[in-house]
Structure formats: C-alpha cells, structure tokens
Amino acid sequence: MSDFIRDMVREDLGNNKHGGRVATRFPPEPNGYLHIGHAKSICLNFGIAQEFNGVCHLRMDDTNPTTEDIEYVNAIMHDVRWLGFDWKEKMFYASDYFGRLHQFAVELIQLGKAYVCDLSPEEMIRYRGAPDVPGQESPFRNRTVAENLDLFERMRQGEYADGAKVLRAKIDMNSPNIHMRDPAIYRIRRGHHYRTGDRWCIYPMYDFAHCLSDSVEGITHSICTLEFEVHRPLYDWILDALKTPCHPQQIEFARLNLSFTVMSKRKLLQMVEEGLVSGWDDPRMPTIAGLRRRGCTPEAIRHFARRIGVTKYNGLTDVALLEHSLREDLNRRARRVMAVLKPLKVVLTNYPEGKTEELEAVNNPEDPAAGTRQVPFSRVLYIERDDFMEIPPKKFFRLFPGNEVRLRYAYIIKCESVVKNAAGEVEEVHCTIDPESKSGGATSGRKIKSTIHWVSAAHALDAEVRLYDRLFTVEQPDADPERDFKTFMNPKSLEVGRAKLEPSLAGAQPLEPYQFERLGYFCADNRDSQPDKLVFNRTVGLRDAWAKEMIKG
RNA sequence: UGCCGAAUGGUGUAACGGUAGCACAACAGACUCUGGAUCUGUUUGUCAUGGUUCAAAUCCAUGUUCGGCAGCCA
C-alpha cells in the first residue's frame, strides 16, 4: 500500500532514522465507543505496523477523570480485536504515566520553562488574545523557579480549589499560533479517576501528556487527525525542552466523514443519552459495536478503509462505498435462504393437500463448498406481497393474473384467480403448478421471466425482522451550526415487521450472515434473538434494479 | 482581514516533469431458476490566471475557494 504517511515511514526507514524501528499507536480516550472513523485510524496505525514489521500500541488517553470510564476501555479493546488487530503485550494507559509526567512538569519548571498561574479561566481567555490579536503576559509569568516548584507541589497536595491555579508552559504570548501562547499543561481537577482513583487532584493536559507518552513508549510515528496540525509546534517544543527518550514525528491525516451520519463522539453520546437510539450498539449507529450488531464484518470495514485511502483533504465519503464493501464481502460468504417479509398466501389448487416435498436448494452460488440443503414445499405457501400485483405496470415480470413465474427451486406456477377481503384487498392468490416444471423436470427449461422466493406456510418459522435505513435524511446532518443535527433524524430509520422463514433458519447463530434471497443480508440479533423468538436485523439490502426502475417512473 | 493546511469527474483516490488511471455512483447492454452476483460498454475531471520547459495535475508567481485553530476537552 502507498499513501503519504507510508511514504514518510519508508523514507525514514531508508534513512535509518529510528534505527529501522517502526512504532505507531492508537490512542483513544475512553469516553465513548469507537466508530467507523476510528476504524480508519486503527487500520492505518496497525496496518503500518504490520507492513513495516513494527509494533502498534493501544493506549488509553485517559487524562480527564470526569468523562472516562472502564466500560469504554473494555468496549474499545473488544472492538479493536474484533476488527482483527492485535496489540500483543503493548497495552498502555496515559494514567500509568502520571508519576512520570508530573516529574517532567517539575523539570520544566526547573528549566524555567513553566510557571504556576493564578489567572481565572475567564482572565486566561482575555489574556490569550485572538488569532489576529497578540496575547498579554500573565502577571504571574515571572515567578521564581523556587516559588513555582513550591506552588506546583501545593497544587498536587490539594491546597487549592479546582481551577484556582494552573501550570503553564512559558513559551510566547505573541506567537501567531495560539497553542504556543503559554498553554496550560496541568490543571486541578478533583474527580474520581477510573484507574488512579483519588490519588491525584492535578491532571496533565492533552498537549503535555500526549507527546511525552509517545516518547516514553518509543513511538516513531505519531499519527493523528488534521485538527492537531496546529498543535505540532507545541508537541515538538515540549519534547525539545525536556530530556526525553526519543522524539516521535507527529503526522496528521484527514478524519473520515461519512454521508448521512454524524461522527462526533459527543453527538453519538447525546443520541444514546436522549434515548434516540437504543444504545451505543444500536444497529443504526456508525459505531463499531453498532455496525457489528447490524451484521457488518471486519473484513468489509478493512476493505472500506483501504478504499478510502489516507490524505490531508477533508472530504465527505459516500456511505454507498461502505455499503458496497459490505455487499461485496457478504455476497462471498453469506448462506442463501428464503424468507418472506410481507407474506401473501398462495394456494396451489392442483397440488395435493397434505403432500410435502423436500426440494434441494443451493446454499451459496458463490461458494460450491457451502453445499445444499432441503427446503419443504407444500400446497399453501407465502410469497412476498411485492411480488404480486393485480394490475401490473409495464416491465413488471412477477406474478399477476394469467402470468407465470418460477418458484425458486420448485415449480412454475400460473396465477388463476385472487381472493379479496371485505376491504377489497387481495388476501389470497390461487395458482396452478406445472407439475413437470420442477427444477430438473421435463418442462423446467421453459423460459420464465421471473423467479420469486417463497416459504411453505405449514413449515414456516415466525420471526421479527428489523429493517434499518440511514439514521439521517440529509448528507451532512451537522453541517449547519445553527440547526440541531437531531432535527434531521430519519423517522423511518427502523421498521419492525413479522416475517416467515424457511425452517433451516431455526439454528441461526447471532451475527452469522445470511442472504434472504432477493431481499438483502440479514443476521440474528446478538442481544434479542432467542431460539424460540427469532429476531433478525437487515444488514443491508440487495441492489434492487426494480426499485430503481420504479423511482424512474 | 493572524497562523496552519488542502484543492484532480457526482464521491473517494492514483499519476512524484513524459498517454490523466482506479474504485464507488450513474447510465446502457449481455447473462441469469436471486430484477442479486458476474461480464461488456458509456458519460463526467486537473480551482483560476500568468510564467519556466520540447513537454506541467506535477515546478514558480499571483489570486480564488474550502477546512482547522481563540477548553483549565481530546
């Protein structure tokens, strides 16, 4: 593979920059579940490590006790593993470095490059200036090393209230880069940390913790998203100011934006907390857990990640590309079965009552090794309501009065009459079969325009099916800061129905992919499906040329 | 209008001074016991203007547009 980051890694390897070593890291903050955007980063970081014979660390960037939780740590580890990556023994926590980070801060003070500042948050904002207005130096900027050391120690001891003081790097209040205007590197925050408990009341800021964690771990290439580009001078300044084990190279790439979804953890959390979705793993969510529950495979995500590439251009990727990757993978591996989502009863008037035949059906035409199975056939069947029309439009090849269709793996049938209910709706269709037309039979070669799926009414399994559609109705739900993204949520993103399934589905394992022929890919829900109460999720529909024809009118 | 960055078909990307290619999408056709899959073909592109060069998406200049940055979040 090749992209600008791999090119840089190759070049560094060629120059023996890190002694031939490649070490990357994936550093999530455990304050939410991983999403498809993280998957891009995971594939990048772990992928580079694999390709260049290096290592990739998994590091929890847990420097903010108020938002982080062990639940997220466990979910993150599960998701990364599920995606197919292995960090071996390289599991780290920024919180494990708190002692060392504190020592680094002390050294920075001793170097005269950091000071304790008593400005309130509001005052700090005022002193910082603006992008085009230089900042002002804090009145506390010139405290002595001894005074700063004492104050910082007392911060650590808990002598001051949250927010009363902050440790700042002493850089340049006139810098055109706001991140260099004496950024805060340690703040007082009395929150119970999910790992270190109440041991600390001061916590390092991202800019301070991240570069030093990278250095401590011997990271060679620290890959992050574009918004950190302006932080790079600070990343480098801190590592240059201190005596550190090594100086990793920060490289920025464009985060993934997917059409018809939102990708910010804050917004995803909001939907979870407000009950707009059933949880982080709601199958409509772009989270790894949601995609998994929906029936998405790790291979599909990895192929998708490969296809979208890595650049510094902040674009918008079409979800259709994800769906394509998914269908491509599922087409290869999913067992075909017959299921009817909107049942319409069909009676075969010239087929003996009480008779049952077992017909042979192919499990996967893409994979002969998947073999065949038997499907029961009898006089009363269910077919898809959409496969029948009393008055067909042109180009409708399916069942209508007087027309013939093939029942997949079974007979050719002809529609003879319909039975309607009081409301005038078609309730039952009466057909006759061509007894010689069974697959393999004498007249089975007859050219019939259409083949439809069916299930035998007497043998059918009942199941709940959950049909998912995109969560939002517009390409970029969060594009307009004036408009709440939630107002664009798709009211039809979930439709629940009752389906009739062929009996072989009785043993379907959760998340095992199936293709319901002519409908789409489905899997049993990993939370709600029980052997006696089946629940199937639609992963993604099949491409549908007929639906497209209908849209065209 | 301060700093940093980016601009290649509808979308995502490749081409590293030498034929603008690939994938998705769209469209048309072939095939089909899935209107699926597969196969074939078609449409659409180098932000602009100058310059350097035999030759520029690529190098230079100017401009335009878009994104990011003013948390004691990451």
Side-chain angles (χ1 to χ4, degrees):
Chain A
M1 281 197 78
S2 181
D3 53 60
F4 78 99
I5 297 180
R6 280 175 242 250
D7 289 347
M8 287 172 84
V9 172
R10 262 183 215 107
E11 194 181 327
D12 290 343
L13 241 21
N15 297 334
N16 205 35
K17 186 170 170 187
H18 305 281
R21 224 164 41 80
V22 172
T24 56
R25 99 268 95 110
F26 174 63
E29 186 191 9
N31 66 348
Y33 277 57
L34 263 23
H35 54 61
I36 181 79
H38 294 110
K40 176 181 182 183
S41 175
I42 291 166
C43 291
L44 218 209
N45 280 293
F46 281 93
I48 285 176
Q50 275 169 10
E51 287 158 49
F52 296 98
N53 204 7
V55 293
C56 180
H57 300 183
L58 178 61
R59 177 168 76 229
M60 297 300 150
D61 209 353
D62 52 0
T63 57
N64 183 357
T66 58
T67 56
E68 296 155 5
D69 196 280
I70 189 73
E71 177 200 346
Y72 298 125
V73 173
N74 293 330
I76 289 166
M77 292 197 289
H78 184 238
D79 288 346
V80 174
R81 252 189 233 113
W82 178 78
L83 270 176
F85 298 103
D86 182 5
W87 54 87
K88 307 272 173 56
E89 72 285 6
K90 304 292 188 182
M91 174 82 212
F92 300 104
Y93 296 83
S95 53
D96 282 350
Y97 308 141
F98 282 169
R100 198 146 176 197
L101 259 11
H102 174 261
Q103 187 52 39
F104 275 125
V106 168
E107 285 167 29
L108 206 56
I109 294 170
Q110 286 166 336
L111 258 14
K113 292 182 177 180
Y115 62 97
V116 172
C117 181
D118 300 0
L119 253 26
S120 70
E122 299 71 35
E123 288 169 319
M124 276 227 355
I125 288 170
R126 215 168 329 119
Y127 276 74
R128 184 160 34 228
D132 54 345
V133 180
Q136 274 178 69
E137 295 190 350
S138 161
F140 306 100
R141 197 173 201 259
N142 294 314
R143 296 218 252 225
T144 64
V145 167
E147 192 183 357
N148 282 318
L149 248 18
D150 175 57
L151 257 16
F152 187 51
E153 174 57 16
R154 289 160 70 174
M155 277 170 66
R156 190 181 71 81
Q157 300 280 2
E159 285 191 31
Y160 310 114
D162 284 14
K165 285 181 166 42
V166 77
L167 183 68
R168 292 226 255 170
K170 190 171 179 177
I171 309 180
D172 177 9
M173 290 307 290
N174 290 313
S175 172
N177 181 341
I178 287 178
H179 298 282
M180 299 297 270
R181 319 240 262 229
D182 291 9
I185 56 176
Y186 256 94
R187 80 284 213 185
I188 304 170
R189 195 136 147 153
R190 259 162 277 247
H192 188 84
H193 191 280
Y194 76 99
R195 293 192 85 234
T196 60
D198 301 314
R199 193 140 65 243
W200 297 88
C201 65
I202 56 171
Y203 292 91
M205 300 286 293
Y206 166 84
D207 286 306
F208 191 70
H210 204 90
C211 56
L212 289 167
S213 300
D214 281 345
S215 179
V216 163
E217 290 178 20
I219 298 300
T220 57
H221 303 270
S222 178
I223 301 167
C224 62
T225 45
L226 247 28
E227 67 268 27
F228 293 104
E229 209 159 16
V230 281
H231 294 237
R232 186 165 8 112
L234 179 54
Y235 185 103
D236 291 332
W237 183 92
I238 293 169
L239 292 182
D240 288 340
L242 262 2
K243 255 189 87 190
T244 52
C246 72
H247 192 139
Q249 173 69 50
Q250 177 178 305
I251 309 169
E252 311 84 13
F253 72 101
R255 62 160 7 112
L256 171 66
N257 297 306
L258 250 199
S259 60
F260 296 100
T261 191
V262 296
M263 208 68 94
S264 113
K265 267 200 260 182
R266 206 200 92 241
K267 296 194 176 89
L268 296 177
L269 175 64
Q270 204 180 332
M271 290 192 288
V272 171
E273 285 183 334
E274 294 180 18
L276 272 16
V277 292
S278 68
W280 285 100
D281 68 346
D282 186 299
R284 294 165 294 181
M285 292 280 269
T287 51
I288 308 289
L291 289 163
R292 175 173 55 235
R293 188 173 171 194
R294 174 94 169 240
C296 190
T297 61
E299 288 80 3
I301 293 177
R302 282 191 250 119
H303 282 135
F304 171 71
R306 179 169 310 194
R307 261 188 264 251
I308 58 178
V310 180
T311 64
K312 297 190 73 138
Y313 176 72
N314 217 318
L316 180 66
T317 298
D318 193 341
V319 270
L321 191 55
L322 211 210
E323 290 169 358
H324 168 78
S325 300
L326 198 44
R327 289 193 185 102
E328 180 185 57
D329 187 50
L330 262 13
N331 177 51
R332 269 204 335 254
R333 70 203 315 157
R335 308 259 293 218
R336 312 291 129 127
V337 290
M338 291 196 284
V340 175
L341 263 31
K342 283 181 285 177
L344 173 64
K345 189 177 278 187
V346 168
V347 179
L348 305 174
T349 54
N350 62 341
Y351 193 86
E353 266 179 82
K355 179 178 175 182
T356 297
E357 288 183 83
E358 292 288 335
L359 303 175
E360 187 175 54
V362 172
N363 284 332
N364 184 352
E366 306 292 323
D367 176 18
T372 60
R373 69 186 184 286
Q374 300 296 112
V375 185
F377 181 86
S378 64
R379 188 170 194 265
V380 181
L381 312 172
Y382 290 114
I383 66 166
E384 209 65 62
R385 202 160 263 280
D386 291 347
D387 284 340
F388 175 83
M389 283 187 113
E390 196 179 9
I391 301 156
K394 62 178 192 307
K395 290 190 180 171
F396 183 83
F397 307 137
R398 284 115 90 148
L399 202 61
F400 53 86
N403 193 44
E404 285 188 315
V405 295
R406 167 167 295 284
L407 293 177
R408 175 133 241 228
Y409 299 122
Y411 301 86
I412 293 168
I413 61 169
K414 183 175 186 179
C415 175
E416 305 288 357
S417 62
V418 300
V419 177
K420 295 187 184 180
N421 63 16
E425 295 156 338
V426 175
E427 216 165 42
E428 219 174 275
V429 178
H430 287 191
C431 297
T432 50
I433 66 164
D434 169 356
E436 301 302 314
S437 67
K438 189 159 88 171
S439 301
T443 56
S444 69
R446 285 170 55 207
K447 278 283 173 224
I448 299 293
K449 263 294 208 208
S450 177
T451 298
I452 65 173
H453 61 276
W454 51 273
V455 298
S456 166
H459 304 86
L461 261 30
D462 286 297
E464 175 179 327
V465 287
R466 297 173 180 172
L467 305 180
Y468 300 103
D469 197 356
R470 34 193 62 152
L471 239 194
F472 295 93
T473 54
V474 295
E475 275 204 319
Q476 295 188 73
D478 52 1
D480 182 358
E482 303 295 306
R483 185 108 187 241
D484 185 348
F485 72 99
K486 297 194 296 295
T487 63
F488 296 111
M489 286 187 79
N490 178 6
K492 294 203 205 112
S493 60
L494 169 61
E495 290 191 58
V496 179
R498 303 289 316 172
K500 296 287 186 182
L501 315 179
E502 69 166 64
S504 74
L505 246 4
Q509 295 303 301
L511 268 30
E512 187 183 356
Y514 285 95
Q515 184 195 103
F516 289 4
E517 291 210 34
R518 305 208 307 132
L519 297 172
Y521 297 98
F522 290 75
C523 67
D525 188 74
N526 63 354
R527 271 187 192 280
D528 302 334
S529 191
Q530 304 293 332
D532 57 338
K533 185 188 165 293
L534 296 168
V535 178
F536 279 85
N537 294 323
R538 181 174 66 193
T539 309
V540 62
L542 251 24
R543 286 184 66 219
D544 190 342
W546 171 243
K548 214 179 278 179
E549 193 67 39
M550 294 302 279
I551 290 166
K552 277 194 288 184

